[in-house]
Amino acid sequence: DAGVTQSPTHLIKTRGQHVTLRCSPISGHKSVSWYQQVLGQGPQFIFQYYEKEERGRGNFPDRFSARQFPNYSSELNVNALLLGDSALYLCASSLGRGAVSSNQPQHFGDGTRLSIL
Amino acid sequence: AQKVTQAQTEISVVEKEDVTLDCVYETRDTTYYLFWYKQPPSGELVFLIRRNSFDEQNEISGRYSWNFQKSTSSFNFTITASQVVDSAVYFCALSVMDTGRRALTFGSGTRLQVQP
């Protein structure tokens, strides 16, 4: 079975542009989370979606938005890019049966490495 | 608020040595879950283990073992007879039963280098 897939793998943008990152969860997983990992740090939680609804949001500005589609895939959008947005963006999926459960192990994709020039 | 501290930024050992990675967590919740993830150079986070706050039993899986002690809020990870393939960044993470925010709080990671 395929794991979590993310696209693109690498992306270079300039300040002020916007970007859309995509994620396909493991088959059968209904919960998708997004994390930002700046070089040398641990991942920071951005969003969690379950059944197309936002179920959690981290301390990120409104320039960051996301959505989940009926097939449980997800997009992360970032507007008005800043140099500080350069990072590895990780998507994770989990089963999330019924209500989203915090004890479910999250399975991560390889990430999208975003560089802002 | 939750916090995870991994005080060891980088550890270097020689192959076959045992190594322990420390993790200290903070939370006011009584129900929580602790995780360890491995991040090889490729970038993918690989799930290693999950423990819940009610189960302090230590766990062993092959060369890996975990020591969970609520009294010291620690969840340490030991690799026995380390191998070069163990070289990676290891993250400890915490999640709580918070209806408003179900997310992993990660530590800053420990980079383990195993020299041949």
Side-chain angles (χ1 to χ4, degrees):
Chain A
D1 283 345
V4 177
T5 57
Q6 293 185 243
S7 62
T9 54
H10 293 85
L11 203 50
I12 299 175
K13 291 285 188 178
T14 57
R15 283 179 296 176
Q17 287 188 312
H18 70 272
V19 67
T20 298
L21 310 181
R22 297 178 174 80
C23 171
S24 292
I26 292 172
S27 178
H29 285 193
K30 298 182 178 181
S31 177
V32 170
S33 298
W34 288 94
Y35 292 81
Q36 180 196 65
Q37 186 178 17
V38 173
L39 193 63
Q41 297 181 20
Q44 297 290 315
F45 172 70
I46 310 175
F47 287 110
Q48 185 170 44
Y49 277 77
Y50 176 74
E51 290 286 10
K52 295 168 288 182
E53 290 187 11
E54 182 182 304
R55 298 303 180 105
R57 185 185 184 110
N59 295 324
F60 280 81
D62 292 343
R63 299 185 295 107
F64 288 76
S65 63
R67 55 179 176 169
Q68 186 177 33
F69 299 99
N71 65 353
Y72 303 110
S73 66
S74 176
E75 284 183 354
L76 175 69
N77 295 284
V78 187
N79 294 324
L81 288 166
L82 303 174
L83 292 178
D85 296 330
S86 295
L88 178 68
Y89 288 84
L90 294 162
C91 174
S93 74
S94 60
L95 282 170
R97 293 193 189 93
V100 176
S101 174
S102 60
N103 70 336
Q104 301 276 344
Q106 295 186 24
H107 299 271
F108 287 80
D110 290 343
T112 293
R113 190 164 297 281
L114 175 64
S115 299
I116 310 300
L117 302 179
Chain B
Q2 292 77 43
K3 184 178 179 181
V4 176
T5 301
Q6 294 179 255
Q8 304 151 307
T9 305
E10 187 163 343
I11 300 175
S12 182
V13 299
V14 177
E15 207 170 18
K16 297 184 182 178
E17 284 186 23
D18 298 347
V19 58
T20 296
L21 310 181
D22 298 333
C23 172
V24 175
Y25 61 92
E26 296 176 31
T27 180
R28 293 181 180 176
D29 291 74
T30 55
T31 302
Y32 52 88
Y33 298 86
L34 295 163
F35 302 79
W36 275 95
Y37 283 85
K38 174 182 179 180
Q39 188 174 44
S42 59
E44 179 185 359
L45 281 164
V46 179
F47 167 74
L48 296 177
I49 189 172
R50 174 192 65 209
R51 304 297 287 173
N52 72 59
S53 53
F54 299 111
D55 183 3
E56 289 191 68
Q57 190 171 16
N58 292 331
E59 183 160 337
I60 298 174
S61 176
R63 296 184 298 106
Y64 296 170
S65 62
W66 291 270
N67 184 346
F68 176 28
Q69 293 194 355
K70 287 181 73 172
S71 61
T72 56
S73 297
S74 65
F75 186 43
N76 296 336
F77 173 30
T78 297
I79 301 175
T80 303
S82 60
Q83 301 177 359
V84 173
V85 294
D86 296 327
S87 297
V89 180
Y90 290 86
F91 291 97
C92 180
L94 166 73
S95 69
V96 299
M97 293 293 285
D98 178 347
T99 56
R101 174 189 164 117
R102 297 178 174 89
L104 290 169
T105 299
F106 284 86
S108 56
T110 297
R111 180 178 299 279
L112 174 64
Q113 298 213 12
V114 182
Q115 308 289 344

